Amino acid sequence: MTWLIAIAVAVVVLIVLVAISNVIVYIPNDRVGVVERLWGAASVSRGLIALNGEVGYQPTVLRGGLHYFFPFQYRVHKVDLVTIPQGEIGYVFARDGHDLEEGQALGRTIQAGIEDVAAFLRAGGQKGPQRTILREGTYAFNVAQFAIITASRVHGLLLSEEERSTIDHMGSVLKERGGFSPVIIGGRREKASADADDTANDMLGVVTVHDGPVLPPDEIVAPRVGQDPADKATFHNNFQNIDAFLRAGGNRGRQHQVLVEGTYYINRLFATVDFIPKTVVPVGFVGVVVSYIGKAGTDRSGEGYSHGELVDSACRGVWKEPLLPGKYAFNTYAGKIQMVPTTNFILKWTPEVTNMHKFDENLTEVSLITKDAFEPLLPLSVVVHIDYRKAPLVVQRFGDIKRLVDQTLDPMVSAYFKNIGQTKTLIQLIQNRADIQQVASVEMMERFAAYNLELQEVLIGTPHGSAGNASGARIDTLLNQLRDRQVAIEQVATFELQEQSAVKERSLREARAKTDIQAELTNSMIHIEIKKNVGDANVVEASKRANVIGIDADAERRRLTAEGDGRASAIAAVGKAEAEAIQAKSQALTGEGARLQLINTLGAQFAEAIRDGQIAIVPKISLGGGDASGNGLSSLIQLASSLLAERADAGMADGSKALQSSQG
C-alpha cells in the first residue's frame, strides 16, 4: 500500500509539474496560442516582439494541437481567433514596429500582410493604427503584436491601461464615423427614413482624407488623382487603396472627387465621407458653374466684355458653358452652381405681390412726380428673358439674378418712369397708359440688352396715391371727379338709350299688334291666292277645252266631208253600175223574163225594207174572217203584192231615172 500511495503521489506531482512547466500544451482548433519566452540568454532590445528568439513575445502563433516545450521556459496564451462578420470592417493597431513618419497618420501597408508578424516587422511595418483594414472572415492573428478592433470587441493581449485607452478612443472615433460598416450610397444607410427613396438616390459622398501631404496654401480642395484603372500603381479605386492614392500624389483634405451610388470599403481612419445632395438643374434653368479650384484658364468672354473672365471647364472661375437641365454629382465644396432662369420671369414693382423666385422681394412701387405736381405711386411689371448662352455673362457681371435686380434693374426702371412722369399730367398717365407702355417697351429694350438681358414686355398698373398722405388725398379727389364726370357722361348716354328704347318699344308694340292679327291676314291672303289660282285654272281649262272642241269640230268636219265625198262617189258609181246592169238586162231580157227579174229585185228590196224599218209582216189585228191557214196567208199575199207593186213602181221609176242619167 505504501508503494501504491507513493506511485500515485509521484504521478500527481509529475502531472502538476508538466502543467506548471508547460512542457506539453494543447491548443483547441478554434483558438491560437501566443508564445511568451520567460527566460533565456538575451532579452528584446527594442520593441515588443522577439524576432530572434529573445525573451518576450514570439512572432509565431500556435495552431490547434499538442505542442512541446522546454520546461518552465515558455508560457502559452490561448486566445480566440479573430472573426469579422459579413458586412463589417475590422481595424488593426500595431503594438510594435517602426515609428510613423512626420505627418503620417496610419502605418503603411506591408505586402506580406499582418498574419506573419516576423515578415511584417522585417519589411518595415510601422506601429500604431494601420492603413490595412480587415474584411469578412476568420484570422489567426498574433494579438500580442496586433490589437484588432471590431464593432463588438477588441482582440488584444495584456494591453496596458494606456494602450487600452488609446484603442478604446480609436474605437469610439470609428463608431462616430460609422467606420465598422462600408460606405453605401444609394441604399438605406444615409436615408433619413425608410420613405426617403428619392433622397437616397440623390445623394453623393464627399471624401475628406486625413493622411498624406497637406494642400498648398492657395488650395481649398484636393485635386483628382489616381483615376486611371489602367495604371495599377496609382489607381486607388475610390480611396479604397490608400497606398495607391498616396503614390498618385493625393493630398489630405477635402477631395474634389466624389463618391456616387455604390458600396465602398474605406478606412475611416484614413478618410471620412459626408453626404450631400446631388445638384439638380430643373427644366427652365441652366446652371452657371463658379469653380473654386483648377488651373488658370484663358479668357473666353470675347472682345468688348470687361466685367470678368469666362474660362473653360475644369478651370478656376466662371465656366463659359453652363450646365443644362439635369442631375449632376457636383462637389459643392469645390464650386458653386448659380441657377439662372431661361424661361420668362416677371419682376413686379409692388410690395403686395412677390413671385416664387424671390428676385423682386425688395421692389416697391415707383414714386412719381407728375407735370401737375401730383405724387402718385406707379405699380409696374417687367417680363425678362435671359438667353442661356449669355447666362455666364450675367453671373460674371452681377454675381446672381437677385443682385442684378436690386442693384441695376430697380434703379434703371425707376429712373426711367420718374422721367416719364415729369412730362405727363396725372390724367394723361391714366388715360394714355397703353401708349406709354408701348413706348417704354421699345425704349427700355436697348437698355436691357446692354446687360445681356432680353426685355419681353413692360406692364404699367394704375397710378394711385399713398394712404395717409395729403397728395394721396388730392389724387383721390381728382379721381373721384373723373369718376363723377364719367358717371354724368354715362347717364347722358343712358338717357339717349332710353329714348331709343321707347321708340323701339313703340315699334315693338306695333309689331306685336300686327303679329296678333297676322293669322287672319295670312288666311285671307291665302284665300285670295286660292281663288285667283282657281280662276286662272278655270280659264286655262276653258281655253284648253275650246281648243279641244275646235280641234274635234275640225276633225269631224273633215271626216263628214270625206265621208260625203266617199258616199257620193260610191252612190254615183253604184248608180252607174246599176244603170249599166239594167240596160244590159233590159236588152238581154224581153217579155216574161224581164218581168221576173223585176219581181226578184223588188222582193230583195222589200226584204231589206222590212229588216231596216222593223215593219211587222203579220198584222196584229185581223180584218177579215177565215181560218188561220187560208185567210192569213191570203192576207199576207195581198199585202206583199201591194208592197211589191209599190216597190216595183218605185224601182221602175228609179231605174228609169238611172237609165236616163247614164244615157244623158
Side-chain angles (χ1 to χ4, degrees), residues 54-71:
E54 301 95 340
V55 175
Y57 292 109
Q58 304 300 305
T60 305
V61 296
L62 304 179
R63 305 302 296 268
L66 292 173
H67 300 272
Y68 304 96
F69 297 94
F70 191 84

Side-chain angles (χ1 to χ4, degrees), residues 497-510:
L497 292 176
Q498 287 177 348
E499 181 180 0
Q500 296 176 7
S501 176
V503 175
K504 292 293 183 181
E505 184 178 3
R506 183 174 65 253
S507 301
L508 177 61
R509 289 176 180 176
E510 293 176 355

